[in-house]
Amino acid sequence: MKFIVGLGNPGREYERTPHNAGFRAADLLCETLGGTWKAESHFKAHVAKVTLPGTGALLLIKPQTFMNLSGDAVSSLAAFYKVAPCDIIVLVDDVALPPGRIRIRPGGSAGGHNGLKSLMDRLGSRAFIRVRIGVGMGHHPVGNLADRVLGRIEAEDEPLIEAGLKLAAEAAVCAAQKGADAAMNDYNGPEKTTAPATAAPNEPGAPLPHA
């Protein structure tokens, strides 16, 4: 089994904030793969079990612990299902990337992101794959991070971020099916800001596979 984890904060007031890009990408994946979210109070998470062609069982996860404690839910689920950190793919917002840009990386630091820091602390590893979704800083001055990630997304940024969510969902599927290196080759780079109008199956911009 592999995990795809979307990071975010629960509650309607956070739904359309930049910090919830991970939740939104996970919701897109759940809908596309025919999954249904189920509240697992014991694990403090919403989960959806789906089958991914070429990979098998896949668990989609949205921690309900708030961002700073995301690792509590993910580490508990990883222990229960005996899933190694290298089989966990995390969808996460990134203010350092322009809106709509995505970047895949296996391992690395938390980069100042408290959700990633919590995952690293609780899993005891940096080996999980990160699919970073660019949300930019918007009109907020550099350094005013909390106001940006918990504030409203500017109207001009929303279409770009929505395109980035779709690419991030595709990249997460690619990473689950073919590994981090293949996903980086296919999806990293400035030219991957938006999906092409047409694409062959398993190419960036192609429709996500259904269960």
Side-chain angles (χ1 to χ4, degrees):
M1 173 177 281
K2 294 186 178 182
F3 289 176
I4 295 181
V5 180
L7 296 188
N9 287 309
R12 293 188 63 182
E13 65 270 34
Y14 298 110
E15 284 180 356
R16 306 297 286 187
T17 62
H19 227 16
N20 272 35
F23 268 17
R24 292 175 64 186
D27 284 335
L28 177 60
L29 263 180
C30 188
E31 178 181 359
T32 304
L33 296 174
T36 301
W37 290 114
K38 178 182 178 182
E40 291 281 5
S41 58
H42 177 70
F43 295 111
K44 301 177 183 177
H46 290 171
V47 303
K49 291 183 180 180
V50 298
T51 300
L52 190 62
T55 299
L58 177 70
L59 193 70
L60 306 178
I61 302 169
K62 293 194 298 182
Q64 299 297 297
T65 53
F66 288 94
M67 184 68 79
N68 293 5
L69 297 175
S70 298
D72 292 356
V74 178
S75 62
S76 295
L77 284 161
F80 181 80
Y81 286 104
K82 296 180 172 57
V83 170
C86 61
D87 286 325
I88 298 174
I89 301 156
V90 179
L91 295 155
V92 59
D93 63 288
D94 191 335
V95 297
L97 290 174
R101 184 80 55 82
I102 70 167
R103 185 163 296 279
I104 299 94
R105 183 179 181 185
S109 71
H113 195 288
N114 287 331
L116 292 178
K117 183 179 185 300
S118 177
L119 286 173
M120 290 163 53
D121 289 345
R122 296 291 281 115
L123 291 172
S125 173
R126 299 183 175 190
F128 54 88
I129 300 169
R130 306 100 192 276
V131 180
R132 297 179 179 268
I133 305 164
V135 295
M137 280 299 294
H139 299 152
H140 296 273
V142 174
N144 200 356
L145 189 59
D147 285 351
R148 172 52 176 170
V149 298
L150 296 177
R152 295 181 64 85
I153 296 173
E154 286 82 356
E156 64 266 30
D157 288 344
E158 181 63 27
L160 295 172
I161 291 174
E162 285 186 352
L165 297 175
K166 182 176 184 295
L167 275 182
E170 293 173 2
V173 168
C174 180
Q177 290 179 317
K178 299 190 290 184
D181 287 345
M184 288 190 291
N185 288 337
D186 286 352
Y187 289 92
N188 282 357
E191 71 278 8
K192 304 300 194 309
T193 302
T194 57
T198 60
N202 298 320
E203 291 296 321
L208 289 168
H210 289 266

